[in-house]
Amino acid sequence: MSGDITTSRDADQTRQNILEVALKEFSEYGLAGARVDRIAKGTRTTKGMIYYHFGDKDGLYKAVLEEIYPKLRNSEEKLDKSNLNPIEELEKIIDFTFDYHKNNENFVRMVMIENINNGKTLRNTDIDTVLSQNILMELNSILKRGQDLGVFKRSITPIDLHLLYTSFCFYRVSNHHTVSTVLGMNMLSSSNSTRHKNLVKNMIITYLSSPEQ
Amino acid sequence: MSGDITTSRDADQTRQNILEVALKEFSEYGLAGARVDRIAKGTRTTKGMIYYHFGDKDGLYKAVLEEIYPKLRNSEEKLDKSNLNPIEELEKIIDFTFDYHKNNENFVRMVMIENINNGKTLRNTDIDTVLSQNILMELNSILKRGQDLGVFKRSITPIDLHLLYTSFCFYRVSNHHTVSTVLGMNMLSSSNSTRHKNLVKNMIITYLSSPEQ
DNA sequence: TTTCATACTAACCAGGTAGTCAGTTAAGTT
DNA sequence: AACTTAACTGACTACCTGGTTAGTATGAAA
């Protein structure tokens, strides 16, 4: 029976099962709105196991939160950027960021929720599981190469560049409910998505390529 | 006694007092995390009055939410834009939006919370108290004048333009906790604020001014 | 096959939380 | 001054919710 997909007595599988259900619950209802009983009901195991494996509700929340950043970074690093010039590489990164936010509303919502929580949990997390060093180094290399080639004429920090495109990719997902109501549109319609994706890329590349002042 | 600032038996004053305290509570803890008892304690009145005036917790939340958009729109409309060319006028609007978000974290958090709530409450609100018609019409006029003068070379909808600058202004406040941790910086430091404000304006104006394709 | 730690269950509990309600007070109205 | 109604109070309650615990099953080691 040990090859069974729902083997009992497999702590890792149990933990993983709980984490999956908890991600859905937390991202749907927030930290305060999430219900441990509802999570327990959604799993193959019982409430006691949540407390056995994760200590308390906050511990479970922390475990869920700590999973989402490495997941993003792993996908990010899978991108193949060989033989690309700086503009193409930057476009590829923005494309990826745009799609990742669009396709992972759970991620976006968890980040929102953690900010409502004043970032308390993330601040108490091991810095390495969270810091975005790789992407910043890559942006730095892109900017440097672009400047050396003369195609980028602006001086900007990798962090600011990161903020410029991420803010748009994040906002259109995080705020799609209120924005769709307030501006009278459907933010996430496929036509809007297509146009928006081109718009950010275009705006950023145009900005970087245009002469200072 | 009727001129007294804390006159008892003034329903409007009581409602206002409750709303002020509730805004703080909801924006700090979210809808699910807010506590009616804690709100009641913070007011000059009692919990019964909250239910008397607002029906239930959701009714109070709705009343708080319905106040924040008109407040924003009122400030927006106070801007003096006489004798400005399209670029100056757009810069003034972006400046205002940037500052409003920076100075009203409560507003930003309420919008986040309502999105975590899937926009349910806002959707059931009278459309006129929420729709941003004026600002869109103004952006439309700016774009048209800019194109007629030949200083704006891009064709873009007012809504997309609005999204481009608002997303950045919103995100740097809404996500400052996690971003500061993940990127290892202090997002809201005054030096970052100054630079960011110039950055959005610059990027948007550069984009609009540069030739299509 | 006995031992033992880990994994697990189901019933339980204390405190918290939204919401209620019977009764009181203040401010007009006639 | 009696009457009426809106504004208000404080004590109460039913239920929800996070967390506990006593006890059980499993599988690997010896």
Side-chain angles (χ1 to χ4, degrees), chain B residues 135-155:
Chain B
I135 182 71
L136 290 180
M137 281 169 54
E138 212 172 310
L139 291 175
N140 193 48
S141 140
I142 290 173
L143 286 169
K144 201 162 186 339
R145 281 158 49 218
Q147 275 148 8
D148 290 347
L149 290 169
V151 292
F152 290 161
K153 283 144 194 158
R154 297 274 175 175
S155 73

PDB file of all heavy atoms in Angstrom, chain B residues 135-155:
ATOM      1  N   ILE B 135     -12.717  62.806 -14.044  1.00  0.00           N
ATOM      2  CA  ILE B 135     -11.283  62.692 -14.317  1.00  0.00           C
ATOM      3  C   ILE B 135     -11.038  62.082 -15.707  1.00  0.00           C
ATOM      4  O   ILE B 135     -10.125  62.493 -16.415  1.00  0.00           O
ATOM      5  CB  ILE B 135     -10.570  61.874 -13.206  1.00  0.00           C
ATOM      6  CG1 ILE B 135      -9.052  61.803 -13.455  1.00  0.00           C
ATOM      7  CG2 ILE B 135     -11.125  60.477 -13.093  1.00  0.00           C
ATOM      8  CD1 ILE B 135      -8.353  63.107 -13.237  1.00  0.00           C
ATOM      9  N   LEU B 136     -11.899  61.149 -16.101  1.00  0.00           N
ATOM     10  CA  LEU B 136     -11.728  60.552 -17.429  1.00  0.00           C
ATOM     11  C   LEU B 136     -11.981  61.567 -18.531  1.00  0.00           C
ATOM     12  O   LEU B 136     -11.272  61.604 -19.544  1.00  0.00           O
ATOM     13  CB  LEU B 136     -12.664  59.346 -17.595  1.00  0.00           C
ATOM     14  CG  LEU B 136     -12.315  58.119 -16.757  1.00  0.00           C
ATOM     15  CD1 LEU B 136     -13.315  56.987 -17.005  1.00  0.00           C
ATOM     16  CD2 LEU B 136     -10.900  57.625 -17.036  1.00  0.00           C
ATOM     17  N   MET B 137     -12.981  62.415 -18.306  1.00  0.00           N
ATOM     18  CA  MET B 137     -13.259  63.448 -19.305  1.00  0.00           C
ATOM     19  C   MET B 137     -12.113  64.441 -19.392  1.00  0.00           C
ATOM     20  O   MET B 137     -11.760  64.926 -20.465  1.00  0.00           O
ATOM     21  CB  MET B 137     -14.558  64.176 -18.955  1.00  0.00           C
ATOM     22  CG  MET B 137     -15.814  63.397 -19.346  1.00  0.00           C
ATOM     23  SD  MET B 137     -17.305  64.128 -18.647  1.00  0.00           S
ATOM     24  CE  MET B 137     -17.172  65.828 -19.232  1.00  0.00           C
ATOM     25  N   GLU B 138     -11.530  64.708 -18.251  1.00  0.00           N
ATOM     26  CA  GLU B 138     -10.404  65.641 -18.240  1.00  0.00           C
ATOM     27  C   GLU B 138      -9.192  65.042 -18.954  1.00  0.00           C
ATOM     28  O   GLU B 138      -8.533  65.728 -19.745  1.00  0.00           O
ATOM     29  CB  GLU B 138     -10.041  65.943 -16.799  1.00  0.00           C
ATOM     30  CG  GLU B 138      -9.521  67.333 -16.638  1.00  0.00           C
ATOM     31  CD  GLU B 138      -9.372  67.652 -15.180  1.00  0.00           C
ATOM     32  OE1 GLU B 138     -10.341  67.431 -14.425  1.00  0.00           O
ATOM     33  OE2 GLU B 138      -8.273  68.087 -14.802  1.00  0.00           O
ATOM     34  N   LEU B 139      -8.911  63.792 -18.676  1.00  0.00           N
ATOM     35  CA  LEU B 139      -7.801  63.125 -19.365  1.00  0.00           C
ATOM     36  C   LEU B 139      -8.060  63.117 -20.866  1.00  0.00           C
ATOM     37  O   LEU B 139      -7.145  63.317 -21.673  1.00  0.00           O
ATOM     38  CB  LEU B 139      -7.623  61.698 -18.842  1.00  0.00           C
ATOM     39  CG  LEU B 139      -7.102  61.566 -17.412  1.00  0.00           C
ATOM     40  CD1 LEU B 139      -7.095  60.104 -16.978  1.00  0.00           C
ATOM     41  CD2 LEU B 139      -5.700  62.156 -17.277  1.00  0.00           C
ATOM     42  N   ASN B 140      -9.308  62.886 -21.217  1.00  0.00           N
ATOM     43  CA  ASN B 140      -9.679  62.877 -22.632  1.00  0.00           C
ATOM     44  C   ASN B 140      -9.373  64.226 -23.288  1.00  0.00           C
ATOM     45  O   ASN B 140      -8.775  64.283 -24.370  1.00  0.00           O
ATOM     46  CB  ASN B 140     -11.167  62.556 -22.760  1.00  0.00           C
ATOM     47  CG  ASN B 140     -11.542  62.223 -24.190  1.00  0.00           C
ATOM     48  OD1 ASN B 140     -10.863  61.426 -24.834  1.00  0.00           O
ATOM     49  ND2 ASN B 140     -12.597  62.849 -24.688  1.00  0.00           N
ATOM     50  N   SER B 141      -9.749  65.285 -22.593  1.00  0.00           N
ATOM     51  CA  SER B 141      -9.501  66.632 -23.128  1.00  0.00           C
ATOM     52  C   SER B 141      -7.999  66.900 -23.232  1.00  0.00           C
ATOM     53  O   SER B 141      -7.514  67.463 -24.212  1.00  0.00           O
ATOM     54  CB  SER B 141     -10.193  67.654 -22.226  1.00  0.00           C
ATOM     55  OG  SER B 141      -9.400  68.799 -22.043  1.00  0.00           O
ATOM     56  N   ILE B 142      -7.255  66.493 -22.212  1.00  0.00           N
ATOM     57  CA  ILE B 142      -5.790  66.682 -22.241  1.00  0.00           C
ATOM     58  C   ILE B 142      -5.179  65.975 -23.443  1.00  0.00           C
ATOM     59  O   ILE B 142      -4.368  66.543 -24.183  1.00  0.00           O
ATOM     60  CB  ILE B 142      -5.158  66.152 -20.942  1.00  0.00           C
ATOM     61  CG1 ILE B 142      -5.535  67.049 -19.760  1.00  0.00           C
ATOM     62  CG2 ILE B 142      -3.647  66.035 -21.071  1.00  0.00           C
ATOM     63  CD1 ILE B 142      -5.105  66.509 -18.413  1.00  0.00           C
ATOM     64  N   LEU B 143      -5.589  64.719 -23.634  1.00  0.00           N
ATOM     65  CA  LEU B 143      -5.034  63.933 -24.736  1.00  0.00           C
ATOM     66  C   LEU B 143      -5.364  64.566 -26.080  1.00  0.00           C
ATOM     67  O   LEU B 143      -4.514  64.671 -26.973  1.00  0.00           O
ATOM     68  CB  LEU B 143      -5.574  62.501 -24.686  1.00  0.00           C
ATOM     69  CG  LEU B 143      -4.976  61.615 -23.588  1.00  0.00           C
ATOM     70  CD1 LEU B 143      -5.749  60.305 -23.442  1.00  0.00           C
ATOM     71  CD2 LEU B 143      -3.498  61.326 -23.866  1.00  0.00           C
ATOM     72  N   LYS B 144      -6.617  65.016 -26.205  1.00  0.00           N
ATOM     73  CA  LYS B 144      -7.051  65.611 -27.471  1.00  0.00           C
ATOM     74  C   LYS B 144      -6.266  66.890 -27.768  1.00  0.00           C
ATOM     75  O   LYS B 144      -5.727  67.082 -28.869  1.00  0.00           O
ATOM     76  CB  LYS B 144      -8.549  65.915 -27.397  1.00  0.00           C
ATOM     77  CG  LYS B 144      -9.203  66.047 -28.756  1.00  0.00           C
ATOM     78  CD  LYS B 144     -10.702  65.897 -28.671  1.00  0.00           C
ATOM     79  CE  LYS B 144     -11.372  65.876 -30.039  1.00  0.00           C
ATOM     80  NZ  LYS B 144     -10.608  66.468 -31.131  1.00  0.00           N
ATOM     81  N   ARG B 145      -6.180  67.748 -26.746  1.00  0.00           N
ATOM     82  CA  ARG B 145      -5.442  69.001 -26.939  1.00  0.00           C
ATOM     83  C   ARG B 145      -3.974  68.725 -27.260  1.00  0.00           C
ATOM     84  O   ARG B 145      -3.372  69.359 -28.142  1.00  0.00           O
ATOM     85  CB  ARG B 145      -5.568  69.883 -25.698  1.00  0.00           C
ATOM     86  CG  ARG B 145      -6.916  70.622 -25.629  1.00  0.00           C
ATOM     87  CD  ARG B 145      -7.265  71.051 -24.212  1.00  0.00           C
ATOM     88  NE  ARG B 145      -6.184  71.722 -23.539  1.00  0.00           N
ATOM     89  CZ  ARG B 145      -5.903  71.571 -22.234  1.00  0.00           C
ATOM     90  NH1 ARG B 145      -6.645  70.769 -21.481  1.00  0.00           N
ATOM     91  NH2 ARG B 145      -4.899  72.216 -21.693  1.00  0.00           N
ATOM     92  N   GLY B 146      -3.407  67.771 -26.557  1.00  0.00           N
ATOM     93  CA  GLY B 146      -2.007  67.418 -26.794  1.00  0.00           C
ATOM     94  C   GLY B 146      -1.777  66.900 -28.202  1.00  0.00           C
ATOM     95  O   GLY B 146      -0.760  67.220 -28.838  1.00  0.00           O
ATOM     96  N   GLN B 147      -2.740  66.112 -28.678  1.00  0.00           N
ATOM     97  CA  GLN B 147      -2.591  65.581 -30.030  1.00  0.00           C
ATOM     98  C   GLN B 147      -2.771  66.678 -31.066  1.00  0.00           C
ATOM     99  O   GLN B 147      -2.030  66.751 -32.048  1.00  0.00           O
ATOM    100  CB  GLN B 147      -3.594  64.445 -30.259  1.00  0.00           C
ATOM    101  CG  GLN B 147      -3.072  63.094 -29.761  1.00  0.00           C
ATOM    102  CD  GLN B 147      -4.175  62.185 -29.253  1.00  0.00           C
ATOM    103  OE1 GLN B 147      -5.359  62.489 -29.391  1.00  0.00           O
ATOM    104  NE2 GLN B 147      -3.791  61.064 -28.660  1.00  0.00           N
ATOM    105  N   ASP B 148      -3.734  67.576 -30.808  1.00  0.00           N
ATOM    106  CA  ASP B 148      -3.956  68.679 -31.735  1.00  0.00           C
ATOM    107  C   ASP B 148      -2.727  69.588 -31.815  1.00  0.00           C
ATOM    108  O   ASP B 148      -2.383  70.098 -32.884  1.00  0.00           O
ATOM    109  CB  ASP B 148      -5.183  69.497 -31.303  1.00  0.00           C
ATOM    110  CG  ASP B 148      -6.483  68.709 -31.508  1.00  0.00           C
ATOM    111  OD1 ASP B 148      -6.423  67.663 -32.196  1.00  0.00           O
ATOM    112  OD2 ASP B 148      -7.528  69.130 -30.979  1.00  0.00           O
ATOM    113  N   LEU B 149      -2.081  69.789 -30.688  1.00  0.00           N
ATOM    114  CA  LEU B 149      -0.883  70.633 -30.656  1.00  0.00           C
ATOM    115  C   LEU B 149       0.347  69.903 -31.201  1.00  0.00           C
ATOM    116  O   LEU B 149       1.399  70.504 -31.396  1.00  0.00           O
ATOM    117  CB  LEU B 149      -0.592  71.080 -29.215  1.00  0.00           C
ATOM    118  CG  LEU B 149      -1.552  72.089 -28.596  1.00  0.00           C
ATOM    119  CD1 LEU B 149      -1.296  72.235 -27.097  1.00  0.00           C
ATOM    120  CD2 LEU B 149      -1.389  73.455 -29.281  1.00  0.00           C
ATOM    121  N   GLY B 150       0.214  68.584 -31.365  1.00  0.00           N
ATOM    122  CA  GLY B 150       1.345  67.811 -31.871  1.00  0.00           C
ATOM    123  C   GLY B 150       2.363  67.411 -30.825  1.00  0.00           C
ATOM    124  O   GLY B 150       3.374  66.793 -31.137  1.00  0.00           O
ATOM    125  N   VAL B 151       2.102  67.711 -29.531  1.00  0.00           N
ATOM    126  CA  VAL B 151       3.069  67.316 -28.493  1.00  0.00           C
ATOM    127  C   VAL B 151       2.865  65.866 -28.053  1.00  0.00           C
ATOM    128  O   VAL B 151       3.798  65.216 -27.598  1.00  0.00           O
ATOM    129  CB  VAL B 151       3.004  68.242 -27.268  1.00  0.00           C
ATOM    130  CG1 VAL B 151       3.501  69.634 -27.621  1.00  0.00           C
ATOM    131  CG2 VAL B 151       1.612  68.296 -26.675  1.00  0.00           C
ATOM    132  N   PHE B 152       1.638  65.354 -28.200  1.00  0.00           N
ATOM    133  CA  PHE B 152       1.388  63.935 -27.896  1.00  0.00           C
ATOM    134  C   PHE B 152       1.241  63.174 -29.206  1.00  0.00           C
ATOM    135  O   PHE B 152       0.404  63.507 -30.043  1.00  0.00           O
ATOM    136  CB  PHE B 152       0.120  63.767 -27.062  1.00  0.00           C
ATOM    137  CG  PHE B 152       0.243  64.266 -25.660  1.00  0.00           C
ATOM    138  CD1 PHE B 152      -0.896  64.543 -24.898  1.00  0.00           C
ATOM    139  CD2 PHE B 152       1.496  64.447 -25.062  1.00  0.00           C
ATOM    140  CE1 PHE B 152      -0.784  65.004 -23.588  1.00  0.00           C
ATOM    141  CE2 PHE B 152       1.610  64.909 -23.757  1.00  0.00           C
ATOM    142  CZ  PHE B 152       0.464  65.190 -23.024  1.00  0.00           C
ATOM    143  N   LYS B 153       2.045  62.153 -29.345  1.00  0.00           N
ATOM    144  CA  LYS B 153       2.039  61.421 -30.609  1.00  0.00           C
ATOM    145  C   LYS B 153       1.425  60.030 -30.482  1.00  0.00           C
ATOM    146  O   LYS B 153       1.309  59.301 -31.462  1.00  0.00           O
ATOM    147  CB  LYS B 153       3.459  61.335 -31.160  1.00  0.00           C
ATOM    148  CG  LYS B 153       3.912  62.645 -31.799  1.00  0.00           C
ATOM    149  CD  LYS B 153       5.394  62.911 -31.547  1.00  0.00           C
ATOM    150  CE  LYS B 153       5.741  64.353 -31.888  1.00  0.00           C
ATOM    151  NZ  LYS B 153       6.961  64.799 -31.197  1.00  0.00           N
ATOM    152  N   ARG B 154       1.090  59.648 -29.277  1.00  0.00           N
ATOM    153  CA  ARG B 154       0.506  58.317 -29.062  1.00  0.00           C
ATOM    154  C   ARG B 154      -1.013  58.397 -29.019  1.00  0.00           C
ATOM    155  O   ARG B 154      -1.570  59.355 -28.490  1.00  0.00           O
ATOM    156  CB  ARG B 154       0.977  57.743 -27.722  1.00  0.00           C
ATOM    157  CG  ARG B 154       2.445  57.515 -27.642  1.00  0.00           C
ATOM    158  CD  ARG B 154       2.799  56.146 -28.202  1.00  0.00           C
ATOM    159  NE  ARG B 154       4.255  55.994 -28.226  1.00  0.00           N
ATOM    160  CZ  ARG B 154       4.861  54.876 -28.569  1.00  0.00           C
ATOM    161  NH1 ARG B 154       4.172  53.805 -28.926  1.00  0.00           N
ATOM    162  NH2 ARG B 154       6.178  54.802 -28.578  1.00  0.00           N
ATOM    163  N   SER B 155      -1.659  57.381 -29.522  1.00  0.00           N
ATOM    164  CA  SER B 155      -3.091  57.286 -29.291  1.00  0.00           C
ATOM    165  C   SER B 155      -3.311  56.303 -28.151  1.00  0.00           C
ATOM    166  O   SER B 155      -2.838  55.171 -28.173  1.00  0.00           O
ATOM    167  CB  SER B 155      -3.807  56.821 -30.560  1.00  0.00           C
ATOM    168  OG  SER B 155      -3.557  55.461 -30.788  1.00  0.00           O
TER     169      SER B 155
END
